[in-house]
């Protein structure tokens, strides 16, 4: 039996990946980061105090060097291009970076007899759901190349599981939010497109925040999303890892809180916590945005025993405010 505690974290320099590294370390695992740092943050990765391999997942020699060094018990694969809008204008990037790199990583795993994978999928694979909340049996019909790239990988994982005995857990993320300011890690995207960081920046530096659509069929007319604390999401990965290592069968799980908040509610919360005004204007809808995305998180709770520790959007947003102020995003 493989007793190694070493895990490869592909994309460990990114937002969710870096928090997973922190969480795994806390629980005695030995993560190593593999990242090309095209969008991940090297300085944040360095703060995690783990070994870092900088390079491309598509580079077979690079991967062979890493996999030859140690016996790894598993791989967590967070590395991906993940801007929905960009995927529409530059789908080649998404199929190459997401599908292509995953195939290269899977090949390296097979060559080196690492047969357990935790994969980052997305609720974008569901497209525009007809029924809410969304459970794992909801039909998947993406509306962007980003969503398609992740759905294609889900199918690849199924096929590799039956043909090559790969064992996987694929998590379909809803919205990740918050940070671990006390450990100096948090969300830093360039460009930043996400609601919570932009609303916080607007409160502190006055930059205009566009509310993408006020004519949705929701109570206040703005979109509703399910925001989970990134450290809860990170912890789901730890639990998924332990499940796979103890013989759990390959499966797909939503990660969400089961509770939705509208864009306006997020703005109101940022204003209330910061004591400042968010400089928002109403703008037209953003293409591909469903009115409401809220997870049914019953399966991850019943099979993996995972449930979020952060229940209040206020606590999640406060951690994001503390992080962004310390990281200088609001200057
Ligand atoms: N949103 C917005 N203005 C922005 C960024 C986002 O109104 O500048 C809205 C967006 O339309 C969505 C919600 O905020 O309904 C969350 O968007 P985000 O980009 O943070 O995450 P996504 O749900 O796209 O993964």
């Amino acid at each position: 039996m493989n007793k190694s505690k070493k895990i490869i974290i592909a994309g460990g320099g990114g937002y969710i990946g870096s928090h997973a590294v922190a969480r795994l370390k806390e629980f005695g695992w030995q993560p190593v980061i593999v990242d090309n740092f095209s969008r991940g943050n090297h300085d944040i990765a360095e703060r995690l105090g783990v070994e870092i391999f900088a390079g491309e997942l598509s580079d077979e020699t690079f991967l062979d060097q890493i996999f030859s060094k140690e016996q790894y018990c598993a791989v967590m694969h967070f590395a991906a291009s993940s801007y929905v809008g960009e995927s529409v204008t530059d789908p080649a990037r998404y199929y190459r970076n997401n599908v292509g790199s995953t195939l290269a990583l899977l090949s390296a795993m097979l060559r080196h007899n690492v047969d357990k994978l935790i994969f980052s999928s997305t609720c974008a694979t569901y497209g525009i759901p007809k029924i809410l909340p969304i459970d794992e049996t909801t039909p998947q019909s993406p509306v962007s190349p980003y969503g398609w790239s992740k759905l294609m990988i889900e199918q690849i994982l199924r096929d590799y599981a039956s043909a090559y005995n790969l064992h996987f857990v694929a998590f379909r993320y809803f919205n990740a939010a918050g940070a671990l300011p006390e450990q100096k890690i948090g969300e830093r995207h360039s460009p930043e497109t996400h609601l919570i960081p932009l609303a916080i920046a607007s409160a502190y530096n006055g930059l205009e925040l566009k509310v993408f659509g006020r004519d949705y069929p929701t109570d206040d007319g703005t979109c509703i999303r399910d925001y989970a604390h990134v450290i809860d999401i990170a912890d789901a990965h730890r639990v998924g890892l332990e499940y796979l290592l103890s013989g759990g069968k390959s499966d797909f799980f939503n990660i969400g809180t089961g509770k939705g908040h509208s864009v306006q509610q997020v703005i109101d919360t940022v204003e209330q916590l910061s004591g400042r005004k968010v400089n928002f204007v109403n703008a037209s809808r953003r293409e591909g945005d469903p009115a409401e995305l809220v997870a049914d998180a019953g399966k991850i709770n019943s099979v993996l025993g995972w449930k979020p520790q952060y229940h209040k959007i206020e606590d999640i947003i406060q951690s994001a405010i503390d992080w962004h102020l310390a990281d200088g995003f609001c200057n």
Side-chain angles (χ1 to χ4, degrees):
M1 192 177 139
N2 185 351
K3 289 264 193 275
S4 166
K5 297 225 129 199
K6 287 238 169 196
I7 309 158
I8 289 179
I9 314 293
Y15 176 37
I16 303 177
S18 57
H19 288 80
V21 170
R23 192 60 162 188
L24 288 164
K25 272 189 73 180
E26 206 183 305
F27 278 79
W29 296 96
Q30 294 166 9
V32 303
I33 292 175
V34 179
D35 203 303
N36 66 5
F37 296 103
S38 65
R39 286 189 167 151
N41 297 295
H42 204 281
D43 60 326
I44 294 178
E46 279 173 1
R47 286 174 204 161
L48 294 162
V50 301
E51 199 169 1
I52 297 173
F53 299 96
E56 299 292 337
L57 293 180
S58 54
D59 180 345
E60 202 172 290
T61 313
F62 168 66
L63 286 189
D64 279 342
Q65 279 166 357
I66 300 166
F67 276 90
S68 304
K69 276 189 76 161
E70 301 277 353
Q71 181 61 47
Y72 296 97
C73 65
V75 172
M76 290 193 184
H77 180 26
F78 297 91
S81 299
S82 60
Y83 293 108
V84 171
E86 182 185 63
S87 80
V88 176
T89 53
D90 189 7
R93 180 187 189 117
Y94 282 71
Y95 292 117
R96 186 180 62 239
N97 284 356
N98 296 357
V99 183
S101 296
T102 302
L103 285 172
L105 181 61
L106 286 169
S107 297
M109 289 175 65
L110 294 177
R111 282 197 302 280
H112 296 272
N113 300 314
V114 178
D115 66 354
K116 298 196 173 48
L117 176 74
I118 315 283
F119 175 68
S120 304
S121 190
T122 168
C123 68
T125 59
Y126 295 115
I128 300 177
K130 293 201 175 65
I131 299 172
L132 289 160
I134 300 167
D135 73 15
E136 290 80 355
T137 65
T138 299
Q140 290 172 288
S141 182
V143 291
S144 68
Y146 168 64
W148 276 113
S149 72
K150 292 286 186 174
L151 186 56
M152 285 176 190
I153 298 167
E154 288 197 1
Q155 186 55 40
I156 290 167
L157 297 184
R158 281 191 193 91
D159 294 340
Y160 276 47
S162 71
Y164 308 128
N165 216 19
L166 174 76
H167 303 274
F168 71 85
V169 162
F171 287 120
R172 296 180 186 145
Y173 304 157
F174 283 66
N175 288 62
L180 281 187
E182 57 287 357
Q183 293 189 36
K184 298 191 167 46
I185 58 172
E187 182 167 22
R188 194 202 293 146
H189 295 113
S190 183
E192 186 52 82
T193 62
H194 294 101
L195 174 65
I196 291 178
L198 291 177
I200 293 170
S202 174
Y204 284 91
N205 66 19
L207 280 183
E208 191 174 276
L209 171 76
K210 288 192 168 74
V211 173
F212 294 141
R214 196 166 277 278
D215 55 351
Y216 284 97
T218 60
D219 283 352
D220 62 25
T222 66
C223 286
I224 293 175
R225 295 288 180 272
D226 182 337
Y227 297 94
H229 197 293
V230 64
I231 201 62
D232 279 330
I233 297 177
D235 199 49
H237 290 71
R238 175 189 67 82
V239 174
L241 171 72
E242 290 168 359
Y243 162 85
L244 273 189
L245 291 174
S246 58
K249 75 171 181 63
S250 296
D251 213 340
F252 300 88
F253 299 96
N254 288 340
I255 305 183
T257 66
K259 241 167 65 188
H261 289 91
S262 72
V263 172
Q264 188 59 52
Q265 285 173 320
V266 167
I267 291 172
D268 292 345
T269 308
V270 169
E271 290 191 336
Q272 172 212 325
L273 293 172
S274 66
R276 291 158 177 261
K277 286 310 244 185
V278 173
N279 178 19
F280 70 87
V281 293
N282 293 327
S284 48
R285 292 182 177 194
R286 188 171 68 175
E287 211 185 321
D289 266 343
E292 186 165 352
L293 291 172
V294 175
D296 178 330
K299 182 175 175 186
I300 188 170
N301 181 237
S302 62
V303 180
L304 300 187
W306 176 91
K307 56 178 196 295
Q309 300 304 305
Y310 282 83
H311 297 284
K312 292 203 208 128
I313 192 81
E314 289 83 358
D315 295 339
I316 297 174
I317 292 180
Q318 185 63 56
S319 74
I321 292 176
D322 294 344
W323 156 255
H324 287 304
L325 288 178
D327 195 46
F329 180 61
C330 303
N331 299 336

